[in-house]
Amino acid sequence: MMKRLLLLVTVLFGLTAFAQTPEELYGEYITPETQAVLDRFEEARRKSQEAEEAARTKRTLALAGAILIGLIPLCYIGSDIIRKKTWKDNPAGTVRALGIGLAGGLVMFGLNYGLFLLKVKMGDAFNTAFVLLIVLAMIAGSIYLLKKK
């Protein structure tokens, strides 16, 4: 009984040493047409992954640009506060100004991020000059409102 079990284990190990992988087995029976289809599938999969990576990079750039533009009002108000030292004379007004600057920055961030994402998703169908004009108009408008007395 033990000899049979040992023989069975030896035969199984021997068979696994000569076994081929499924890819090798398929390779023996694959036709050139099938290989061409498989190659096209691999190429399409690779291009799809590259396109997803490029889209992810564009979305990240859009987010970074929108964050930087959204910080403009807060930075302007913060530099004005530091330069004029308004926290000494009017601490409540300083806090309100920072809150308004933060709210304005959030609005600018949201609008810019929406425009940038629209440009990324629509591609050439959405005019880049139009997006830049809208963004510059929002920046100019926020600076005008900040300087207005």
Side-chain angles (χ1 to χ4, degrees), residues 72-139:
I72 289 173
L74 200 58
C75 291
Y76 182 82
I77 290 172
S79 67
D80 201 31
I81 288 171
I82 291 172
R83 211 172 349 146
K84 295 180 182 176
K85 298 182 182 180
T86 59
W87 71 86
K88 292 179 181 177
D89 300 331
N90 188 5
T94 302
V95 170
R96 262 185 296 155
L98 284 173
I100 291 171
L102 183 62
L106 287 173
V107 168
M108 283 183 65
F109 164 77
L111 289 173
N112 285 311
Y113 189 58
L115 285 172
F116 291 155
L117 276 185
L118 191 61
K119 172 61 182 159
V120 167
K121 289 184 188 234
M122 290 183 69
D124 292 335
F126 195 70
N127 193 353
T128 305
F130 180 66
V131 171
L132 291 177
L133 270 171
I134 291 174
V135 169
L136 289 175
M138 283 193 294
I139 291 171

Side-chain angles (χ1 to χ4, degrees), residues 33-77:
E33 295 85 15
T34 309
Q35 184 62 44
V37 168
L38 289 174
D39 291 343
R40 281 187 301 209
F41 172 74
E42 271 305 310
E43 181 69 19
R45 189 178 60 79
R46 185 185 58 76
K47 285 182 181 179
S48 173
Q49 288 175 344
E50 289 174 0
E52 287 175 9
E53 185 63 34
R56 188 177 306 117
T57 302
K58 286 180 181 180
R59 285 192 304 268
T60 304
L61 285 174
L63 179 65
I67 287 173
L68 288 176
I69 291 172
L71 288 175
I72 289 173
L74 200 58
C75 291
Y76 182 82
I77 290 172

